[in-house]
Amino acid sequence: MNQHTPTAEPNAECVRFETVFRAELQDIKIRRTHREKEPTAAPTDAKADVSSGSQHDQKTDQTASSHEAANADRGTRASSPPAAEDGLGPLSESGAFTSEESVLNAVGLSLSGGGIRSAAFCLGVLQALDRAKVLKNVDYLSTVSGGGYIGSSLSAGQSNYNGQFPFESKLDSTETPAVKHIRNYSNYLIPHGPMDLLESLVIYVRGLVANVILVLPWLLFAAYITVRSHPTREQLAKPFLFRVPIHNVFPYDFFVLTSYLALALLAMFAAWTLIRSARFQIDKPEVPSWLTTLYGCAFVVTAIVAFFELQPLILNKIWADTSWAVRLQNWLQRISVVLAPLAGAAAFFSKQLQALIKQGLDAPGTSSKLMGYAARGAVYVAAALIPVLLWIVYFQLSWWGIGTCTQGHPNCTLSTQYPNTPGWLRASADALFGARPYPMATLYLVCFGILVFVSMLLRPNANSLHRLYRDRLSKAFLFKPQRQPTPGDLPKLNGKDLKLTKLRPEFTPYHLLNTALNIQGSKHVNQRGRNADFFMFSSKYVGSEATGYVSTKAMERVVTELDLGTAMAISAAAASSNMGAQSIRPLTPTLALLNVRVGFWVRNPAFIKMRKVKAALREFISLYFLYELIANLREDSWNVYVTDGGHLENLGAYELLKRRCRVIIAVDAEADPQMTFGSFVELQRYARIDLGVRINLPWQKIADTTLTASKELAEHRETAARNGPHCAIGQIEYPDGGNGVMIYIKSSFTGDENDYIVNYKTRYPLFPHESTADQFFTEEQFEVYRALGFHAAYGLFDRRDDFARLESEEFKKELAWLDKIFPVPPDSDPLWGRKRSTFA
């Protein structure tokens, strides 16, 4: 991708993707070397997961014997199967870019977004991959949003547990404490009920107070301008600018300065027409142009002056008609009471409004489109609520600050009374500045200065909801697993001190945590209207193409709070004022002011190596909140704003395609009740545009089967027990001839699941695509999603389920090749029976 790189501050530590990729390959080699040295495990007895049985099966004893997996070193050439019979071949020194037809002979696993629903489903998939001896051969783990919950838990567990899988699939008394702990914390936001809710509430209120500190000084400054220009009732009806009278040649007393500026602007435009017609200007561009910028600024200044001159008109009307003043005051109070909760509701249900707009406008029916337009109208109404509330506060401050001269003189300075000012406010102004002319204006100016200074002490991430979210997630998913359960004991938590650089490359796949870099204000990398770029965290490097990459160690030195829990929470920061490609631009100020902010401000990798004094000064004068309010977020700013990776690509497979992985196992657990495969289709588009990669995947059969089974169950309370498909295997066509294979595992329902899954589906027809807004899972809800994930994935690798595939002789060779690197598991369920012993 042709991205813009910041050049304001040269940085020796900022590198491009090729350097990042080479470092990743070194860690992959370390893991493969360590894996080859592992002794073959002795057979052990274990009880099989009931989710591997049919709809009417019960738990059965199974003998799980390990086998030598495809773990030889893996190679570069992927256009034809490798020579090694038990693996992908050796890994090349230079990775994916050795020749025109080369791909990286590596296995990548992506876990999609979807909140706790995705975490539960992906947990079942991981258990199935472990039982089928597939997980040990995974080189890359790429996670986004909810998939990052369980992906981070896996990375932390294996790093702390010498590479052993911490979530063995055993539903009996020997179930691992790690699985029990995650199931117990499926209601992770308020796991302990009312006390957690109270703690969350007070933290949220603290954030609102912080936002008041950030916004109030500017309302005071606006009121100061109004009061300083028209400090008394007598001056409201005359054109003044900071008590300096403006000569008025117009037949009216209001908008005098605006009229002068409008005439000047008209003359400037007339002059611009002549300048633009000059010979030396004929070949000059319209944009970018300093003249265009100058005239745009002049236009904005005129509009601002008009707004400030509107206030004396309204205030003068109030003074002249006391009954009208009473009615206005009552109206303002009532509308404030109504608008405040409406604004809050719009903020917290913004995702649902956005989904309703998209669903309505994309649907063919007239009623659906009308609903979509109605939802869009609701968004714009909600977007106007906060500006109206802010105007009410500004207007009220101005009303309190205007006095009346006891001598009735328009230039009165000392003999002023303030009949409309609250007693406590008037007493404070008199006590502090009573000897000065117009003490209310002085009080506003002093308070403005104090609050601006205080606001500079507020750090970007200190009072948002990020830390609360991070701590809740860390407690639920980041811990040191225990091999054997101890009665009354829980896993030891260590979510806050596990740095990304402490992940053990020999024990765990190389973990890529995907986030979205918000760049709504960028002039260089926002050409396609995405409003975001791919930004990733890993144990070696942090960054994006837009900013460049910097070593994770360097970032951890600067951003001391950065750890695995922080990266996991950023990757799942779905609620934010700016949401990448999913941003609702009109609602951005509302969401920011109401502290719906789970995103994270991180130091721009391009500026990571800056002198401490200069860095401290830049941090002190940071205008981060203003940038959030007006969505002026760029890739070349001092700090950059990163949010949920699903705000750009929710499947998590983009980075694996970028690395040209030979095999990609993509787990899709998004909410997709209509089975439109939106995240996958979006991945196809990004891959084609950015990377020149084509993905041919026959997913339609999964959609048809799920929709049919769901309809039968809803209408007749029973359905045929179809053996899949839950999965599809397709082809990846890399540029210049290299090929790869995508194994796609979809959260889907076919009717052959075990009894408690089918029973849950009967009672909750939206399963397995219940809304992502539901993050308060019960034990039953968590378990059915986990069991479905195990059932879908294990049925594929055990060769007992049908799967969607391409029908071509060339693709049959790819399937035969998959049989070599993913041999059939030896521990089949005797009550199930395999349909085949190979994919092909």
Side-chain angles (χ1 to χ4, degrees):
M1 292 185 295
N2 184 19
Q3 303 283 33
H4 172 70
T5 305
T7 57
E9 185 78 18
N11 189 342
E13 290 193 27
C14 196
V15 300
R16 304 314 299 169
F17 175 71
E18 287 73 16
T19 302
V20 175
F21 185 64
R22 285 193 293 269
E24 293 172 357
L25 294 183
Q26 294 305 314
D27 272 14
I28 291 174
K29 288 182 179 180
I30 290 173
R31 184 162 187 263
R32 290 182 178 183
T33 301
H34 182 269
R35 190 172 64 223
E36 288 179 351
K37 296 178 181 178
E38 292 178 347
T40 303
T44 58
D45 291 332
K47 288 192 175 182
D49 192 323
V50 293
S51 62
S52 65
S54 66
Q55 179 174 335
H56 307 291
D57 289 344
Q58 305 299 322
K59 289 193 295 182
T60 58
D61 291 335
Q62 297 180 346
T63 300
S65 62
S66 62
H67 65 287
E68 287 298 327
N71 57 6
D73 276 346
R74 312 176 174 196
T76 35
R77 187 68 61 174
S79 54
S80 60
E85 293 294 326
D86 60 348
L88 288 163
L91 185 72
S92 70
E93 291 296 327
S94 54
F97 309 109
T98 56
S99 72
E100 290 184 351
E101 295 184 353
S102 66
V103 301
L104 177 67
N105 278 335
V107 177
L109 170 64
S110 71
L111 305 180
S112 79
I116 191 66
R117 180 192 63 248
S118 177
F121 183 84
C122 291
L123 171 59
V125 171
L126 290 174
Q127 290 176 322
L129 296 181
D130 174 68
R131 184 177 290 277
K133 310 302 179 184
V134 172
L135 186 61
K136 66 184 297 183
N137 297 313
V138 171
D139 298 294
Y140 276 109
L141 174 63
S142 179
T143 64
V144 60
S145 196
Y149 299 172
I150 197 65
S152 298
S153 190
L154 174 68
S155 294
Q158 290 188 311
S159 292
N160 288 319
Y161 205 25
N162 296 329
Q164 297 188 61
F165 184 67
F167 309 120
E168 289 90 347
S169 177
K170 296 183 288 187
L171 293 180
D172 55 24
S173 59
T174 63
E175 183 181 43
T176 63
V179 176
K180 290 182 179 179
H181 175 81
I182 290 179
R183 185 184 293 113
N184 290 339
Y185 275 84
S186 60
N187 186 12
Y188 67 96
L189 289 176
I190 48 172
H192 302 114
M195 191 59 196
D196 288 333
L197 184 61
L198 179 62
E199 292 173 350
S200 301
L201 178 63
V202 296
I203 291 172
Y204 174 72
V205 172
R206 186 194 69 199
L208 289 179
V209 173
N211 289 353
V212 169
I213 294 174
L214 291 166
V215 173
L216 183 58
W218 303 104
L219 297 178
L220 286 168
F221 186 69
Y224 165 76
I225 293 176
T226 300
V227 173
R228 193 70 175 78
S229 298
H230 303 85
T232 65
R233 172 188 178 182
E234 291 74 19
Q235 292 177 319
L236 285 173
K238 299 295 181 181
F240 281 89
L241 180 63
F242 292 102
R243 289 196 304 113
V244 177
I246 301 174
H247 181 64
N248 187 8
V249 299
F250 303 102
Y252 45 82
D253 293 326
F254 298 98
F255 297 106
V256 174
L257 185 57
T258 303
S259 299
Y260 283 128
L261 290 177
L263 289 174
L265 194 60
L266 184 62
M268 289 173 61
F269 273 99
W272 194 14
T273 62
L274 297 175
I275 294 173
R276 193 71 181 114
S277 301
R279 184 179 299 275
F280 70 92
Q281 279 284 323
I282 291 296
D283 60 340
K284 300 295 183 182
E286 291 282 15
V287 286
S289 166
W290 68 270
L291 273 175
T292 304
T293 303
L294 173 65
Y295 277 81
C297 293
F299 196 88
V300 170
V301 169
T302 303
I304 293 174
V305 171
F307 172 78
F308 277 108
E309 288 200 303
L310 173 64
Q311 313 312 312
L313 174 63
I314 301 176
L315 292 167
N316 186 64
K317 178 66 175 177
I318 294 176
W319 279 101
D321 187 349
T322 55
S323 62
W324 191 83
V326 172
R327 290 196 301 271
L328 179 63
Q329 290 284 73
N330 291 336
W331 179 80
L332 291 178
Q333 291 175 1
R334 290 172 183 172
I335 198 174
S336 299
V337 172
V338 174
L339 289 182
L342 282 178
F348 285 101
F349 293 103
S350 58
K351 296 285 286 184
Q352 286 77 4
L353 279 173
Q354 184 188 47
L356 188 61
I357 293 172
K358 180 175 176 56
Q359 180 181 349
L361 297 181
D362 290 347
T366 303
S367 59
S368 298
K369 288 189 178 296
L370 289 175
M371 185 177 295
Y373 286 120
R376 176 175 287 182
V379 165
Y380 283 103
V381 170
L385 299 181
I386 287 296
V388 169
L389 286 173
L390 293 179
W391 174 79
I392 289 173
V393 174
Y394 153 67
F395 185 82
Q396 191 68 60
L397 289 170
S398 300
W399 174 248
W400 288 345
I402 301 243
T404 180
C405 182
T406 57
Q407 301 174 0
H409 193 278
N411 291 320
C412 180
T413 57
L414 293 176
S415 302
T416 307
Q417 294 181 350
Y418 297 92
N420 303 312
T421 310
W424 63 269
L425 187 59
R426 187 171 63 250
S428 300
D430 290 340
L432 295 172
F433 312 108
R436 297 177 58 85
Y438 312 116
M440 290 300 298
T442 306
L443 178 64
Y444 286 169
L445 184 61
V446 170
C447 289
F448 162 75
I450 293 173
L451 287 174
V452 165
F453 178 80
V454 173
S455 67
M456 289 182 177
L457 300 177
L458 301 180
R459 299 276 59 84
N461 303 308
N463 294 288
S464 71
L465 296 178
H466 162 77
R467 292 184 178 182
L468 171 65
Y469 189 45
R470 176 200 65 188
D471 292 345
R472 293 281 195 244
L473 283 175
S474 296
K475 189 172 184 179
F477 292 99
L478 300 184
F479 47 84
K480 291 181 179 178
Q482 295 167 287
R483 186 63 177 176
Q484 297 297 331
T486 303
D489 199 8
L490 287 175
K492 182 179 179 182
L493 305 177
N494 73 325
K496 296 181 181 179
D497 59 6
L498 183 60
K499 294 291 186 180
L500 286 166
T501 50
K502 297 299 182 182
L503 295 178
R504 303 285 296 276
E506 69 270 33
F507 294 145
T508 185
Y510 192 87
H511 194 171
L512 306 171
L513 291 109
N514 296 276
T515 69
L517 170 68
N518 285 261
I519 49 173
Q520 286 85 340
S522 173
K523 298 180 180 179
H524 301 280
V525 296
N526 196 27
Q527 301 168 8
R528 298 165 185 153
R530 296 177 186 175
N531 296 321
D533 189 32
F534 299 90
F535 193 98
M536 68 101 181
F537 292 87
S538 71
S539 61
K540 290 291 187 182
Y541 281 93
V542 173
S544 69
E545 292 285 348
T547 61
Y549 298 85
V550 71
S551 72
T552 306
K553 284 186 178 181
M555 185 64 77
E556 286 177 347
R557 285 196 298 268
V558 174
V559 185
T560 56
E561 61 194 294
L562 178 60
D563 53 25
L564 180 60
T566 298
M568 172 179 63
I570 297 170
S571 179
S576 179
S577 54
N578 295 271
M579 297 182 287
Q582 299 181 19
S583 295
I584 309 176
R585 198 66 175 262
L587 279 182
T588 294
T590 299
L591 294 169
L593 288 166
L594 292 179
N595 202 36
V596 184
R597 302 168 55 239
V598 190
F600 190 82
W601 285 94
V602 67
R603 180 71 63 82
N604 192 327
F607 303 129
I608 205 73
K609 195 176 182 182
M610 183 178 284
R611 293 185 181 90
K612 290 185 178 180
V613 175
K614 187 176 181 181
L617 181 61
R618 290 287 297 270
E619 201 74 28
F620 182 71
I621 62 174
S622 172
L623 299 176
Y624 68 93
F625 195 66
L626 175 62
Y627 296 145
E628 276 193 64
L629 279 175
I630 63 176
N632 186 27
L633 303 170
R634 305 188 309 274
E635 79 288 354
D636 56 356
S637 60
W638 166 247
N639 289 328
V640 291
Y641 192 61
V642 286
T643 57
D644 192 329
H647 290 160
L648 185 56
E649 194 271 297
N650 199 43
L651 203 56
Y654 180 92
E655 293 291 346
L656 301 179
L657 292 169
K658 185 176 180 178
R659 288 154 176 80
R660 297 190 178 189
C661 288
R662 178 68 174 90
V663 179
I664 295 177
I665 304 172
V667 183
D668 187 352
E670 72 165 346
D672 187 15
Q674 303 301 319
M675 298 298 286
T676 59
F677 290 66
S679 289
F680 174 72
V681 173
E682 193 171 60
L683 172 69
Q684 283 183 309
R685 184 174 76 252
Y686 289 155
R688 182 69 182 90
I689 294 173
D690 296 353
L691 308 174
V693 174
R694 296 178 184 267
I695 309 172
N696 188 4
L697 186 81
W699 54 265
Q700 292 84 357
K701 188 176 180 180
I702 302 175
D704 294 341
T705 303
T706 295
L707 293 174
T708 300
S710 299
K711 183 178 180 181
E712 290 176 355
L713 192 65
E715 293 178 353
H716 308 295
R717 300 188 66 81
E718 63 178 1
T719 183
R722 301 169 180 83
N723 298 117
H726 295 281
C727 308
I729 301 180
Q731 189 172 50
I732 305 169
E733 297 177 12
Y734 291 110
D736 304 318
N739 290 330
V741 177
M742 175 169 283
I743 300 173
Y744 181 82
I745 303 173
K746 178 72 171 179
S747 179
S748 52
F749 177 81
T750 62
D752 69 332
E753 293 79 7
N754 65 46
D755 288 339
Y756 62 78
I757 295 178
V758 176
N759 178 266
Y760 187 87
K761 172 70 173 178
T762 304
R763 291 180 288 125
Y764 301 97
L766 282 178
F767 173 83
H769 300 290
E770 294 167 296
S771 172
T772 309
D774 180 11
Q775 292 294 295
F776 304 92
F777 269 31
T778 62
E779 177 188 275
E780 178 192 24
Q781 196 174 9
F782 184 90
E783 178 57 24
V784 293
Y785 278 98
R786 184 212 61 80
L788 180 64
F790 186 98
H791 171 84
Y794 196 76
L796 174 71
F797 288 98
D798 193 38
R799 276 64 163 186
R800 68 192 185 197
D801 270 356
D802 290 329
F803 60 92
R805 76 198 78 186
L806 300 175
E807 298 297 335
S808 69
E809 291 300 321
E810 184 66 26
F811 191 68
K812 288 181 180 179
K813 296 179 182 179
E814 300 284 1
L815 294 179
W817 180 74
L818 285 180
D819 285 319
K820 294 181 180 181
I821 61 173
F822 299 135
V824 62
D827 53 337
S828 177
D829 187 340
L831 295 183
W832 183 278
R834 288 193 178 108
K835 285 189 163 188
R836 62 186 71 83
S837 59
T838 65
F839 288 120

